[in-house]
Amino acid sequence: MVSIRTEGVVKRFGEVVALDHVTLSIKHGEFFTLLGPSGCGKTTFLRTVAGFELVDSGRIFFDSQDVTMLPPYKRDTGMVFQNYALWPHMTVFDNIAYGLKVRKLPKREIEKRVKEVLKLVRLEGLESRKPHQLSGGQQQRVALARALVINPKVLLLDEPLSNLDAKLRLEMRAEIKKLQKSLGITTVYVTHDQEEAMSISDRIAVMNSGRIEQVGTPSQVYFRPRNYFVADFIGQGTFLEGQVKGEKEGYLEVEAEEGLLLLASPSDPTNPPKPGDKVIIAIRPESFKLSKDTNTIKLTVYDVHFLGKSKRVLAKLGEKTFLVEVDPTLEVQAGTAIEVSAPPEKTLAIRA
C-alpha cells in the first residue's frame, strides 16, 4: 500500500488545459474516486499517475518518492482500461500472465500467481478460453486479474464497468469493492456515474474542466456540496435563486425569486453567506415532505414517475419545476395541488 500525493499538476494538450493545478492526497488503502462529466480530466489524471502521460508542471509522489518523471514500468501500478484491452489471440491464462512474463519471472512462479489470481476473481477453469468466448463480466474479471497479478502498489480503474449492463454493473461494483478491501490496495477509480461513485468510494473528488471542485466522503459531497456544480452533478434536486435577508431560528432567511421566503442551512458552515449575498437554494427530492411545516410550498403536479422504491413527483410553482420524492404507495395524480415542506437543515444555501 502507498499514499498518492499530487502537487499543482498541470497537463495541456495544445490549447486545452486537461489538468489545471490539481492537488490531491489519496490515503493508504483508500478507494478514491474521480467523478465528473466527460472531458473533465478524470482519465488524464489517472494516466499521469500511471505514467502514461507526463505532466507539464507539478509533482506526483508515491509515499515520499517523487515519481513524476518515472516511466510506467517503474511505478508499480496496475491499470484496468475502459475497453479491457485484452489480447484477442491469447488465452485467459496468457493475458493474465503477460505482465509477469515481461518481468521475466520463473515459469513456476508465473503459474502459481496466475492460479492464485484466477481463484481470487472466480475464473478457475476458464484458463484456456479466448476473450471472445467470455461474457462481458468475465472479460472484466480477466482485465482486473491481469492488473492484480503483478502485485501492484496502486490499482487504477478507468470506467471499468461502463460496457456492462445495469444488473452486471451492480454485481461487479460490489465484487471490486470487496476485493479491494480484502487486498487493502490503494485504488483510484474513474467514473461519470454518480450512483456508482457514491456506493463504492471511501472519498470522491468531483472534477470539472480540469479542476477539483470538491473532495469528501459520499455523504459530504451529497449533503454539503461546496458549489452549484457539485450540487447539480451529484444526484438531482430543485434549485432556486435567491438572496439572503438575514438570520432566523439559527438558519439563513432567503428570499427566492418565486416569492418564497425560506429558511436554509449554509452548505459551507465555516463560511456562510451574509445578508445581501446571492445564493442558490438546493433541495434534494427526498428532503421534501407532504405536509405543512417549515418552508411550506404549494405546488401543482404535472407528472408522476413510478420508480419502485419511490414515486418521483414533478410539480410546478409558476414556471419553476420541483422534484419531490414520495412513498410509492401514495396516490398522487397529475393536475392536482399538493403542499410540501422542506426541513431547514436539509435546505441548502449555496453561494451563487
Side-chain angles (χ1 to χ4, degrees):
M1 287 195 302
V2 300
S3 62
I4 302 168
R5 190 173 84 256
T6 66
E7 296 179 353
V9 166
V10 175
K11 179 63 184 177
R12 297 181 181 88
F13 296 102
E15 297 297 314
V16 177
V17 181
L19 297 175
D20 190 357
H21 297 87
V22 174
T23 297
L24 278 176
S25 293
I26 300 169
K27 302 171 186 175
H28 286 258
E30 186 172 32
F31 199 115
F32 191 92
T33 296
L34 298 165
L35 174 67
S38 297
C40 72
K42 307 183 300 292
T43 294
T44 300
F45 179 85
L46 206 69
R47 290 176 65 85
T48 61
V49 172
F52 300 140
E53 301 284 355
L54 291 179
V55 303
D56 295 315
S57 62
R59 315 302 295 174
I60 301 172
F61 296 88
F62 286 2
D63 287 337
S64 59
Q65 182 187 11
D66 188 338
V67 300
T68 310
M69 301 307 294
L70 282 183
Y73 69 92
K74 288 189 176 181
R75 297 197 188 192
D76 205 4
T77 64
M79 188 156 178
V80 178
F81 298 91
Q82 185 175 356
N83 62 359
Y84 310 145
L86 301 178
W87 298 103
H89 62 286
M90 289 185 183
T91 64
V92 167
F93 182 96
D94 289 334
N95 263 286
I96 296 172
Y98 183 79
L100 301 177
K101 290 176 180 177
V102 169
R103 288 164 173 77
K104 297 181 179 179
L105 268 66
K107 184 178 178 181
R108 188 171 295 178
E109 176 67 12
I110 291 174
E111 290 178 352
K112 175 176 175 289
R113 285 168 66 166
V114 170
K115 187 176 291 187
E116 287 173 351
V117 80
L118 280 167
K119 185 177 180 180
L120 193 65
V121 299
R122 298 190 292 113
L123 286 176
E124 306 103 305
L126 302 181
E127 298 92 327
S128 60
R129 289 193 187 182
K130 300 284 182 65
H132 74 273
Q133 297 173 306
L134 304 174
S135 68
Q138 289 169 334
Q139 290 181 34
Q140 199 271 347
R141 286 192 184 95
V142 174
L144 187 59
R146 184 180 57 187
L148 292 172
V149 76
I150 61 173
N151 293 332
K153 294 178 181 176
V154 177
L155 180 61
L156 307 172
L157 300 139
D158 186 9
E159 304 216 34
L161 308 182
S162 61
N163 295 324
L164 305 179
D165 62 58
K167 184 178 180 182
L168 193 51
R169 275 204 307 272
L170 289 174
E171 293 174 1
M172 291 307 303
R173 184 193 301 174
E175 285 196 23
I176 288 173
K177 180 70 172 179
K178 182 179 178 182
L179 194 59
Q180 186 266 341
K181 286 303 176 188
S182 68
L183 296 173
I185 187 170
T186 305
T187 299
V188 186
Y189 191 95
V190 161
T191 184
H192 63 269
D193 187 317
Q194 299 95 322
E195 182 181 320
E196 190 169 285
M198 300 279 282
S199 66
I200 207 170
S201 312
D202 294 322
R203 284 191 305 150
I204 297 170
V206 182
M207 292 190 71
N208 181 32
S209 300
R211 297 181 180 180
I212 302 296
E213 296 284 354
Q214 184 173 352
V215 178
T217 64
S219 177
Q220 287 168 342
V221 296
Y222 186 80
F223 290 114
R224 291 292 173 186
R226 181 177 295 170
N227 55 36
Y228 172 71
F229 176 84
V230 176
D232 188 36
F233 191 78
I234 299 286
Q236 293 181 304
T238 299
F239 300 98
L240 309 170
E241 294 182 13
Q243 186 177 40
V244 177
K245 293 299 180 184
E247 289 189 21
K248 184 179 179 181
E249 300 171 8
Y251 297 103
L252 299 175
E253 193 172 38
V254 180
E255 184 175 11
E257 58 184 355
E258 287 72 20
L260 299 170
L261 196 62
L262 302 172
L263 295 182
S265 301
S267 63
D268 182 3
T270 62
N271 186 26
K274 299 178 178 62
D277 286 351
K278 299 285 187 181
V279 293
I280 302 291
I281 293 290
I283 311 173
R284 299 295 186 192
E286 67 274 15
S287 296
F288 285 109
K289 297 186 294 183
L290 285 179
S291 64
K292 287 185 178 182
D293 205 334
T294 309
N295 292 340
T296 296
I297 307 168
K298 294 182 179 180
L299 304 171
T300 301
V301 177
Y302 72 88
D303 204 358
V304 180
H305 298 166
F306 180 73
L307 305 178
K309 64 179 180 179
S310 65
K311 280 182 180 175
R312 179 65 54 83
V313 177
L314 284 71
K316 280 190 176 291
L317 174 64
E319 294 301 312
K320 189 67 183 181
T321 296
F322 285 69
L323 302 180
V324 180
E325 202 161 288
V326 300
D327 188 287
T329 62
L330 287 176
E331 287 297 325
V332 183
Q333 302 292 333
T336 60
I338 59 172
E339 286 188 308
V340 300
S341 62
E345 66 272 13
K346 293 183 178 180
T347 302
L348 294 182
I350 304 167
R351 290 183 178 277

